[in-house]
Amino acid sequence: MDLSGQTLVIRADGNTRIGSGHVMRCLALAQGWQDRGGRVVLLLGEETASVRERWRGEGMEVEVISADPGGDKDAVKTADFARASGADWIVVDGYRFDARYQRIIKETGQRLLFLDDYGHADHYYADIVLNQNIQAHEELYKKREPYTVLLLGTDYVLLRREFLKRRGYGREIPEVAKKILITMGGSDPDNCTMKVLEALSLLKLRDIEAMVVIGGENPHYEDLKSRVTGAPFSIRLERNVTNMPELMAWADLAISAGGSTVWELAFMGLPAIIVVLVDNQRGAALGVSEKGAGISLGFCSRVVPQEIAESVYSLLNSYEDRLSMKKNGNKLVDGDGVKRVISALVSKKAPI
């Protein structure tokens, strides 16, 4: 599928307050578009250095539009930029973008793909609505235009190309797990990472190894650095990594927030304990748990370190549970989501 000469304009944000999930899953779609010869431009509502660095490092253009995120001026400026760029599609991802925002863009004649997680808009004017979550269903989008196509479920999970290179990865499940990956997304404003480290210290296991990965927008780096230094077991702290698939391949199990990372863990067959940082992560965490690809402990703010420690200890020592999670995760996410979404964009309808 050759997309030479075709432009994709993406409007999404990532910062300490909202995390990096929106821009990172859009990056997966952007990579797929770019790999087929297309041009990609990311529009940010505010300057975020780590986001700009990552996207420009991928050879993509990044621009900042001066407007209140999600407001009328934002929608108009996004549509104007797309029209001036000769964009074939506008992609919008974020909870600040509502029905009015979609309608303004559509009234300019632009084609719009809208990424959604729980039906947060009052009405959907987009040409295509994408919800990659397990619980996604048509009832969420009863108030939509007759032309609006729905892409629903994990068949449309957007995975970055670095993960797709691991397709068919044959994970080995050890009898007793020892390597733990801890990742709470791009920002973790309430520092759930620290609570997880407290939980691991309660285990008093000196033979485990832990890798803590935090995003570029995480405000707790110095505190976490001090905690890691005094840990009773082997532990490393990594910031703003670009080799997450390699780290997931290294680990025997993960302790993760309930955002888009859960789909990456499933694809990699990595058994996971999932905590929810914000309400919009609850559905993904619950869905993965129901499908047997992970264990959801609910909201991190409500779980105590002892509960986390007990779950970790149990999973470290349960070969059968980890093997089952690996198999169920691989069934859940097959890695063809980007291909299916681009097919829908090109054909302007959902692929068969």
Side-chain angles (χ1 to χ4, degrees), residues 5-9 33 82 86-90 110-111:
Q6 298 192 46
T7 298
L8 194 68
V9 169
W33 192 269
D88 295 87
W89 281 89
I90 298 174
Q110 303 293 315
R111 290 188 290 180

Side-chain angles (χ1 to χ4, degrees), residues 38 80 86-87 93 142 152 154 176 196 205-206 220 285 309 320 350:
D80 287 347
D93 187 353
K142 289 191 293 186
L152 308 178
T154 58
V176 177
V196 171
L205 297 175
R206 296 186 176 277
H220 308 293
E320 292 298 333

Side-chain angles (χ1 to χ4, degrees), residues 182-185 187-202 212-214 218-233 235 237 255 275 277 300-301 303-306 308-309:
I182 303 164
T183 172
M184 295 296 150
S187 59
D188 188 17
D190 297 323
N191 205 7
C192 185
T193 304
M194 185 68 80
K195 182 179 285 189
V196 171
L197 292 179
E198 292 171 5
L200 294 184
S201 295
L202 293 175
V212 180
V213 175
I214 65 172
N218 191 308
H220 308 293
Y221 177 71
E222 293 301 327
D223 289 341
L224 291 170
K225 189 175 179 181
S226 297
R227 180 73 190 207
V228 165
T229 301
F233 50 87
I235 186 169
L237 177 64
I255 307 171
V275 291
L277 303 189
C300 189
S301 59
V303 68
V304 298
Q306 184 63 40
I308 299 173

Side-chain angles (χ1 to χ4, degrees), residues 20-38:
S20 61
H22 300 295
V23 292
M24 292 308 286
R25 67 181 177 186
C26 282
L27 178 59
L29 181 59
Q31 289 174 335
W33 192 269
Q34 184 187 62
D35 288 344
R36 291 159 176 81

Side-chain angles (χ1 to χ4, degrees), residues 8 26 31 51 62 65 82 116 148-149 174 179 243 251-252 262 300 320 325 331 336:
L8 194 68
C26 282
Q31 289 174 335
V51 174
V62 180
I65 58 174
D116 189 78
T148 301
V149 170
K179 300 174 182 177
N243 64 332
D252 297 324
V262 300
C300 189
E320 292 298 333
M325 288 182 186
K331 291 177 185 175
D336 287 331

